[in-house]
Amino acid sequence: MNPFFARTLGYSVAELTSKPFREWLHPDDETATRQQLENLTQGKKVHYFENRYRCQDGSYRWLTWTSVANVEEKTIYAVARDVTEWKKIEAALRKSEEKFRLLFDKSPTAMGLANMEGKLINVNQALCQLVGYTPEELLTKGCADITHPDDLAREKQLFNQLLSGEINSFRLEKRYITKSQQIIYGLHQATLIRDIEGHPLHLLGQTIDITQQINQTLALQESEERLGRIISTISDGLLVINTQGKVRFINEAGINLFGRSTPQLMNHPLGLPLGNDQPTEIFIQQPQGKLIIAQMRVADITWQGESAYLVSLRDITEHYEAQQALSESEEKYRQIVETATEGIWIIDQDNKTTFVNQQMAQMLGYEIEEMMDKNLFDFVDFKDNIRVQQKIQERRQGIAETHDFKFRCRDGKELWTIVSTNPLFDSQGNYLGSLGMITDISQRKKMEQALSESEQRLEGILTSIQDVVWSFDANFSRLIYLNPAAQITFGFSLEKLSENSHLWLNLIHTDDQEIVQYHRQIVKEIGHTEYKYRLVRNDGQIRWLSSRMRCVYDEKGDLIRIDGIDSDITEQKRAEEQLQYNATHDPLTNLPNRILFMDRLEHAIERQKRYPKFTFAVLFLDLDEFKVINDSLGHAIGDQLLQEIARRLQDGLRGNDTLARLGGDEFTILLEDIEDIKDAIKIAKRIHLDLTKPFILEEQSIFINTSIGIALSSSGYEKASEILRDADTAMYRAKADGKACYAIFDRKMHERAVRRLQLETDLRIGINKQEFSLYYQPIISLENGDLMGFEALIRWHHPYKNLISPGQFIPIAEETGLIIPIGEWILKEACQQLKKWHKQFPNYSHLKVGVNLSSKQLKYTNLIDTIDQILKESQLDSKHLKVEITETLLMENLQAATEILLKIQERDIEICLDDFGTGYSSLSYLHRFPVNTLKIDRSFVMLMEPNNENSEIVRAIVSLAHILGLDIIAEGVETQLQLDQLRRLGCEQGQGYFFAKPLPPEEVENLLKNSPMWNGFDFP
């Protein structure tokens, strides 16, 4: 052997070689070593073997051998290496590994070790219990196999952040899928284990089962009632405390913590510090003297419809006692006391302070040192001394209690507290003093004061309001509260109403008894209700009341009373009835209006559907020339006339007939249950007869009649609007037939009305699409045949009906007001066209153009501005423009028309009176009008014969025009004979088909290019 081997064992070489090597072996290694020697002697090479050798100092060292035998030499060659230190390290590692294995396997926290591919390589029993698999089954699965699919993405994202080094570990709530396919919730924390070079080796996961907490949270959200059942079963003390500090709920664990019965705790203030949203440690003094230390958490909740606090109390007394036993340090106990949120105060048998914590000193505004050894009476008012003495005496008797008490602070302010006191005795029962737990309730006292003042204000309000405020017990058998307004509403004193709870019910109108009883029952089922009923007072008055009631429950959810407010709505009801009447009646005549009439008409239609033999008729009346009365006598007389007409019409009808005013001068009558159309005609004739009598209003006799349209129900109407529409159509037919008559609706009337409506629609479309054009009829001098000008006449080129004459669409344009844009377009187009011809044909620059104006245009306030603008834009001299109006138009509004015409004349525009002789023939007014020209209507010209009546009329008109200095134009000249007669009568100008029909612009231009042919006529 070499010397290094000898030194390793602490011997000399001689000492080692003097004895067989087996004497130096560890006894436990002899057998294994002998076996290795036999292997060597058999020629087998031993590459690695280890055993222990005793050193000189008695210790053993581990050696590892690599050996080989030479059989021929009978010698064994071996090389040894001292691995004793490595063996120590290995033993320490095994011990550490065993310790880790025990912690891993026996930990109550579910733990698993996974490789970087996510396959589980080690699991503990807690994890197996959590997911319901055996260890062998789990080691065949990956982490993803037991994780809910919806949680994989989030966990993978966190795992990637872990690998990248962004985070050292992560924690998340996740769901696990158990072997039985149940879902459990776990709070999972993952940590990455790296090798010495920082490469990731394994992922260690730890999971706490939070399924119960999650389920509790879900249950809390579903129902407060269920919350009560759940929290009653858990080990932590749970309380619900309202904003006034009173206990509304406490579970069994909470009752045990306080050591008091449920009645002692419920609806009583405990003085807990609820304002802190962080976990807080508090002290609870039980009546038996035991001091409980609890960790408190507070959260805001809604409990049975009111704001409240959920207080969680976990008993950590044993934890503190264990700490105290381990540390045996009074200082540590003092630190715990100093961190309490309550004040702690200990006095001895002489009432001197032996201990106060920092919180107690701060409450009173002192330092701890200042309070020590001071007497309790130094901190209370003199007037409270007797009460304090009584309390101290109770402590000496071993009585512990909790009570409100007022201390006096250093600055003189009051400190209201809840004091929980417990007497202290030694082992022989001698009184040593008492321990007090003091909670500041000054804020609560202020709230109580504010509440008291609020209650006083509320009582004042309830006393002063006019609504009846009441409270009944749960069965409506006992009246709990009734405010003074009930005396006025019910007509009885509060004493009588309170003594006899059935008196109220007896006052309810007999027709409303059932509905009141129904709502008294339904409120118990749904918790609230509203309804209206009538009350019959003792003096016979009937009052309408609107009642609103709601149920009030205790903390258990049991109904304890029913509160309500009854408002007197009698005046509101009367107003509603009046509003209903106003909504369905005409305010001027008090007759039914359109709404009520249509409603009754709908009922009549429905009745006819049920009883086919039932017949009814609708009469639509429109007063003739009522506007003249309004304009001449004033609207006040007009309104009186409408009232008198309504009375006269009503007197002539049967009791079951309905007379209504639709508006303006329109009335409708519904005749129900008639035999046939003859009954309706009879009524219409009677109306006409009744209206022939004069109405005497303000000493004036006024005559008026009406046009009546009749529609019979036999046509099978479905809607009220249909038969009213047809009666209206028939009324217009009566108007067209001469007024003061009636017309019976037939299908042809409807067809005409439909055609008219379609024509109106087409007219509006035609305006937008510019389907109109102007034709120009020449006006010729009858003296020499020269062309004097044109009359512009509109034509409508309908896309489907071809050319439509003005006689068909101009009346519709007048009614609808479309004549305004049409008239403006005619004026603009005519002026522009004439200006164009003036430039194109200078020899005809003297030509004028005549444009017809309607009554609507004269009433159009912007007419003058429109004319000025068109003349300016077209650059036409105003003297070349003529406007043509009719006699009827002038007489509709004499004063207004005259003013407009004067403004037109001021602009040097000629005014022509068209169709003269066919209207009022108001010769007496003619000299007042600013007229330049008279046009003889074609009806006189066409029937002219030598020396007949029409010739004389034309002669008179021509003579009149000459006397007044007016030009004269004859319309409708179609024969040479007519031309000759007109010339002999002195008529200066004429127009008609004898000269030319109305021509489109291009034909007029061709005419002007060539010499007009009228020079070839029989002119002198």
Side-chain angles (χ1 to χ4, degrees):
M1 61 182 69
N2 61 355
F4 183 77
F5 178 75
R7 288 197 302 271
T8 298
L9 298 180
Y11 297 99
S12 65
V13 174
E15 287 176 318
L16 288 174
T17 56
S18 65
K19 296 180 180 180
F21 78 93
R22 287 191 296 273
E23 291 190 12
W24 314 107
L25 280 173
H26 192 287
D28 294 342
D29 297 338
E30 284 188 16
T31 301
T33 303
R34 188 180 298 112
Q35 181 61 46
Q36 293 298 327
L37 290 174
E38 289 177 3
N39 291 337
L40 288 169
T41 57
Q42 294 174 6
K44 298 178 181 179
K45 184 178 179 180
V46 178
H47 295 285
Y48 179 82
F49 177 67
E50 62 182 20
N51 54 13
R52 288 165 286 182
Y53 288 86
R54 186 178 69 253
C55 297
Q56 170 122 23
D57 58 6
S59 63
Y60 286 89
R61 297 195 73 81
W62 280 92
L63 300 178
T64 61
W65 299 89
T66 302
S67 308
V68 65
N70 190 324
V71 179
E72 294 177 357
E73 296 179 1
K74 297 182 180 181
T75 305
I76 296 173
Y77 295 96
V79 178
R81 183 162 61 89
D82 186 355
V83 294
T84 304
E85 295 305 319
W86 183 87
K87 280 290 186 177
K88 290 180 181 179
I89 294 172
E90 186 181 54
L93 285 173
R94 278 200 301 271
K95 184 176 180 181
S96 175
E97 183 180 0
E98 179 65 19
K99 182 178 180 182
F100 169 75
R101 187 186 64 78
L102 288 173
L103 289 174
F104 183 86
D105 290 342
K106 303 303 181 183
S107 172
T109 301
M111 301 177 69
L113 197 64
N115 60 21
M116 299 316 294
E117 288 74 36
K119 186 177 183 304
L120 292 167
I121 59 176
N122 199 357
V123 295
N124 71 348
Q125 191 61 36
L127 181 58
C128 295
Q129 292 175 354
L130 183 69
V131 296
Y133 290 99
T134 65
E136 294 75 14
E137 290 173 326
L138 273 181
L139 292 177
T140 65
K141 298 183 177 295
C143 298
D145 296 329
I146 59 174
T147 300
H148 194 285
D150 294 344
D151 296 339
L152 288 174
R154 174 59 179 157
E155 187 171 10
K156 185 176 180 181
Q157 179 185 7
L158 293 170
F159 177 70
N160 290 336
Q161 291 179 312
L162 200 63
L163 283 178
S164 66
E166 294 180 36
I167 55 176
N168 296 323
S169 64
F170 66 81
R171 176 180 294 185
L172 81 158
E173 289 185 8
K174 60 180 284 189
R175 289 165 288 180
Y176 291 89
I177 308 295
T178 68
K179 184 177 181 180
S180 60
Q181 298 302 307
Q182 291 182 334
I183 295 175
I184 60 174
Y185 293 83
L187 180 60
H188 177 70
Q189 178 168 329
T191 306
L192 190 63
I193 300 175
R194 300 178 184 270
D195 61 15
I196 192 169
E197 296 178 353
H199 299 127
L201 291 176
H202 305 298
L203 186 68
L204 176 62
Q206 305 177 64
T207 302
I208 299 174
D209 185 358
I210 61 170
T211 305
Q212 182 180 5
Q213 293 92 315
I214 294 296
N215 290 336
Q216 287 174 353
T217 301
L218 294 174
L220 283 171
Q221 295 172 348
E222 292 174 0
S223 168
E224 289 183 356
E225 181 180 353
R226 187 175 174 189
L227 168 67
R229 293 198 301 268
I230 293 174
I231 62 180
S232 296
T233 62
I234 65 177
S235 60
D236 285 352
L238 291 180
L239 298 87
V240 176
I241 300 177
N242 64 15
T243 54
Q244 288 76 41
K246 295 183 178 180
V247 178
R248 304 292 290 162
F249 171 84
I250 184 169
N251 67 348
E252 192 66 28
I255 294 171
N256 294 334
L257 278 176
F258 286 91
R260 290 175 169 81
S261 64
T262 302
Q264 289 176 321
L265 295 169
M266 291 300 293
N267 291 313
H268 286 80
L270 297 179
L272 296 176
L274 303 176
N276 194 349
D277 58 357
Q278 300 297 320
T280 305
E281 293 173 359
I282 65 169
F283 293 87
I284 301 173
Q285 184 74 47
Q286 293 186 345
Q288 299 80 6
K290 185 178 180 181
L291 180 66
I292 301 298
I293 303 171
Q295 185 184 65
M296 182 178 76
R297 296 176 181 269
V298 182
D300 296 333
I301 63 168
T302 300
W303 178 265
Q304 297 180 350
E306 64 175 343
S307 297
Y309 302 100
L310 176 63
V311 180
S312 169
L313 298 176
R314 175 167 293 178
D315 188 351
I316 58 173
T317 306
E318 292 182 2
H319 171 71
Y320 268 97
E321 290 175 351
Q323 283 187 333
Q324 188 178 34
L326 288 171
S327 64
E328 296 181 353
S329 170
E330 183 181 351
E331 183 61 29
K332 194 166 188 178
Y333 166 74
R334 288 183 178 275
Q335 290 177 0
I336 295 172
V337 172
E338 290 300 332
T339 59
T341 57
E342 296 90 346
I344 302 175
W345 197 340
I346 300 176
I347 60 174
D348 62 13
Q349 64 270 31
D350 297 323
N351 304 323
K352 290 185 177 181
T353 301
T354 59
F355 175 81
V356 289
N357 66 348
Q358 186 64 38
Q359 181 68 17
M360 187 68 250
Q362 288 178 356
M363 286 183 190
L364 293 172
Y366 291 92
E367 298 292 335
I368 294 176
E369 295 75 14
E370 293 177 307
M371 293 185 65
M372 295 300 293
D373 292 330
K374 282 197 174 183
N375 197 290
L376 174 64
F377 291 93
D378 294 337
F379 305 97
V380 301
D381 290 339
F382 177 78
K383 62 181 180 180
D384 294 329
N385 284 353
I386 296 177
R387 184 186 176 202
V388 174
Q389 288 286 6
Q390 291 173 345
K391 297 297 181 184
I392 292 173
Q393 189 60 38
E394 290 174 357
R395 298 300 88 73
R396 291 180 180 275
Q397 296 171 5
I399 300 173
E401 69 167 348
T402 299
H403 59 275
D404 290 2
F405 191 77
K406 180 185 67 177
F407 289 98
R408 183 64 63 183
C409 297
R410 183 173 190 169
D411 59 4
K413 293 181 179 178
E414 295 178 349
L415 175 67
W416 276 101
T417 64
I418 291 179
V419 179
S420 296
T421 58
N422 192 52
L424 303 176
F425 297 93
D426 61 16
S427 58
Q428 287 78 35
N430 298 315
Y431 176 70
L432 299 178
S434 64
L435 167 67
M437 307 294 292
I438 293 88
T439 302
D440 186 353
I441 60 168
S442 300
Q443 191 62 33
R444 194 199 78 189
K445 281 292 184 180
K446 292 179 180 178
M447 292 175 63
E448 289 176 353
Q449 178 64 27
L451 178 61
S452 175
E453 294 173 357
S454 176
E455 289 175 348
Q456 293 177 6
R457 288 194 299 270
L458 176 60
E459 183 62 29
I461 293 171
L462 292 176
T463 302
S464 61
I465 64 174
Q466 297 179 356
D467 292 340
V468 178
V469 182
W470 52 265
S471 289
F472 267 101
D473 65 3
N475 298 316
F476 283 102
S477 59
R478 182 173 62 86
L479 187 61
I480 300 173
Y481 175 80
L482 194 63
N483 73 334
Q487 298 179 123
I488 300 173
T489 301
F490 297 128
F492 285 92
S493 66
L494 292 180
E495 290 75 14
K496 287 187 177 181
L497 290 168
S498 300
E499 291 170 0
N500 183 3
S501 59
H502 298 290
L503 177 58
W504 188 339
L505 195 60
N506 295 337
L507 294 173
I508 295 172
H509 196 285
T510 53
D511 293 343
D512 296 340
Q513 291 275 352
E514 186 175 345
I515 191 172
V516 172
Q517 291 291 9
Y518 167 78
H519 281 279
R520 286 191 170 191
Q521 182 60 37
I522 202 69
V523 72
K524 299 177 184 179
E525 299 175 10
I526 64 175
H528 60 87
T529 188
E530 295 184 17
Y531 64 98
K532 296 179 178 66
Y533 69 96
R534 286 166 294 176
L535 197 76
V536 182
R537 288 165 42 106
N538 200 29
D539 56 7
Q541 285 189 42
I542 297 178
R543 310 296 294 178
W544 273 96
L545 298 181
S546 173
S547 183
R548 304 185 300 278
M549 61 177 78
R550 58 179 289 274
C551 294
V552 180
Y553 305 92
D554 62 15
E555 64 276 1
K556 297 178 181 179
D558 296 330
L559 178 63
I560 56 175
R561 73 174 190 273
I562 298 169
D563 295 343
I565 298 177
D566 285 17
S567 304
D568 190 333
I569 59 169
T570 305
E571 296 305 321
Q572 178 184 333
K573 273 289 184 180
R574 289 173 182 167
E576 288 175 357
E577 291 170 358
Q578 185 62 45
L579 284 174
Q580 179 64 25
Y581 181 86
N582 292 344
T584 57
H585 287 77
D586 173 49
L588 179 64
T589 62
N590 286 324
L591 293 177
N593 62 8
R594 179 185 291 270
I595 295 173
L596 182 55
F597 183 80
M598 297 298 281
D599 181 67
R600 292 184 181 177
L601 191 51
E602 291 283 0
H603 283 293
I605 293 172
E606 292 300 320
R607 184 179 174 189
Q608 188 186 50
K609 291 178 182 178
R610 295 193 301 269
Y611 308 103
K613 292 184 179 181
F614 171 74
T615 304
F616 65 92
V618 173
L619 277 62
F620 199 113
L621 288 68
D622 187 272
L623 301 179
D624 298 330
E625 307 300 340
F626 179 75
K627 184 177 182 299
V628 176
I629 294 173
N630 258 347
D631 292 343
S632 58
L633 302 179
H635 287 278
I637 295 295
D639 289 347
Q640 293 180 39
L641 178 60
L642 289 173
Q643 291 170 339
E644 292 300 321
I645 291 172
R647 278 191 282 270
R648 192 174 292 184
L649 291 174
Q650 190 72 64
D651 292 342
L653 297 177
R654 301 170 301 169
N656 62 335
D657 297 332
T658 300
L659 170 64
R661 181 186 177 218
L662 296 191
D665 57 352
E666 293 180 340
F667 294 85
T668 53
I669 300 173
L670 173 60
L671 302 176
E672 296 191 66
D673 206 10
I674 61 176
E675 293 294 331
D676 52 29
I677 191 64
K678 294 178 182 178
D679 289 341
I681 293 173
K682 182 179 178 180
I683 294 295
K685 289 180 177 179
R686 183 189 304 163
I687 290 172
H688 282 135
L689 181 62
D690 290 342
L691 293 182
T692 57
K693 303 171 186 177
F695 293 90
I696 310 301
L697 299 175
E698 296 188 3
E699 299 181 355
Q700 295 189 66
S701 295
I702 300 175
F703 292 89
I704 194 166
N705 220 310
T706 183
S707 299
I708 303 175
I710 304 173
L712 193 65
S713 63
S714 58
S715 299
Y717 294 100
E718 291 292 330
K719 297 180 180 178
S721 58
E722 295 174 354
I723 189 170
L724 186 65
R725 173 202 64 202
D726 291 348
D728 187 25
T729 301
M731 182 274 294
Y732 276 106
R733 170 53 58 188
K735 289 277 188 187
D737 290 344
K739 303 180 181 179
C741 63
Y742 66 85
I744 301 170
F745 175 79
D746 58 33
R747 187 54 53 187
K748 291 182 180 179
M749 288 184 184
H750 178 62
E751 292 172 357
R752 285 194 296 270
V754 170
R755 287 197 299 271
R756 182 197 174 284
L757 178 61
Q758 184 60 51
L759 191 61
E760 178 186 336
T761 302
D762 292 348
L763 182 60
R764 293 180 184 275
I765 296 172
I767 293 173
N768 292 331
K769 292 187 176 182
Q770 299 180 346
E771 296 173 355
F772 300 93
S773 65
L774 286 185
Y775 278 46
Y776 299 87
Q777 187 171 35
I779 299 175
I780 308 301
S781 170
L782 300 186
E783 296 176 355
N784 52 30
D786 289 342
L787 179 62
M788 305 302 294
F790 303 94
E791 180 181 0
L793 301 170
I794 189 170
R795 295 294 184 265
W796 181 9
H797 301 276
H798 195 281
Y800 307 114
K801 300 176 183 178
N802 298 323
L803 195 65
I804 299 178
S805 69
Q808 290 180 266
F809 67 85
I810 289 298
I812 296 175
E814 289 275 2
E815 285 184 38
T816 59
L818 294 174
I819 195 65
I820 300 297
I822 291 175
E824 185 175 335
W825 176 82
I826 293 172
L827 184 62
K828 184 175 183 179
E829 183 70 16
C831 290
Q832 289 177 344
Q833 185 64 66
L834 184 61
K835 182 62 178 179
K836 177 183 176 184
W837 289 335
H838 282 175
K839 291 181 178 180
Q840 191 174 356
F841 307 103
N843 292 336
Y844 293 99
S845 59
H846 66 281
L847 296 180
K848 299 182 180 181
V849 65
V851 176
N852 291 283
L853 290 183
S854 73
S855 60
K856 284 282 191 345
Q857 286 176 283
L858 281 182
K859 295 175 183 175
Y860 181 49
T861 56
N862 292 332
L863 176 61
I864 300 300
D865 293 338
T866 300
I867 293 174
D868 290 342
Q869 183 66 25
I870 289 173
L871 290 174
K872 181 179 179 181
E873 291 176 356
S874 65
Q875 297 182 351
L876 180 69
D877 193 329
S878 60
K879 67 182 179 181
H880 294 115
L881 176 63
K882 295 195 297 184
V883 295
E884 299 187 10
I885 58 174
T886 63
E887 285 184 275
T888 305
L889 184 152
L890 282 175
M891 298 307 296
E892 282 182 0
N893 194 334
L894 186 62
Q895 183 63 34
T898 303
E899 292 177 0
I900 294 293
L901 294 176
L902 285 172
K903 291 181 180 180
I904 292 175
Q905 193 178 56
E906 289 173 359
R907 285 157 174 77
D908 206 16
I909 298 171
E910 290 189 26
I911 299 172
C912 182
L913 191 59
D914 198 8
D915 301 336
F916 186 75
T918 61
Y920 290 92
S921 299
S922 49
L923 303 181
S924 60
Y925 291 100
L926 190 58
H927 70 282
R928 297 173 51 187
F929 295 147
V931 176
N932 304 98
T933 304
L934 294 182
K935 294 187 80 172
I936 304 172
D937 187 69
R938 67 181 66 249
S939 62
F940 299 121
V941 175
M942 291 174 63
L943 298 176
M944 278 177 49
E945 292 182 4
N947 302 317
N948 73 349
E949 181 181 353
N950 284 300
S951 295
E952 294 304 317
I953 292 175
V954 173
R955 184 192 303 276
I957 294 174
V958 172
S959 300
L960 177 65
H962 290 164
I963 293 171
L964 296 176
L966 304 178
D967 294 332
I968 192 80
I969 299 174
E971 293 181 304
V973 180
E974 296 185 356
T975 67
Q976 184 68 48
L977 179 61
Q978 293 170 354
L979 174 60
D980 294 340
Q981 285 185 280
L982 290 169
R983 290 176 61 219
R984 282 194 297 270
L985 294 174
C987 183
E988 293 93 355
Q989 299 177 36
Q991 67 182 93
Y993 276 54
F994 180 74
F995 305 112
K997 65 180 181 180
L999 303 172
E1002 56 271 16
E1003 292 188 21
V1004 172
E1005 290 179 6
N1006 290 334
L1007 178 69
L1008 296 177
K1009 287 178 183 178
N1010 306 305
S1011 297
M1013 58 183 175
W1014 304 297
N1015 287 334
F1017 287 174
D1018 190 11
F1019 287 104

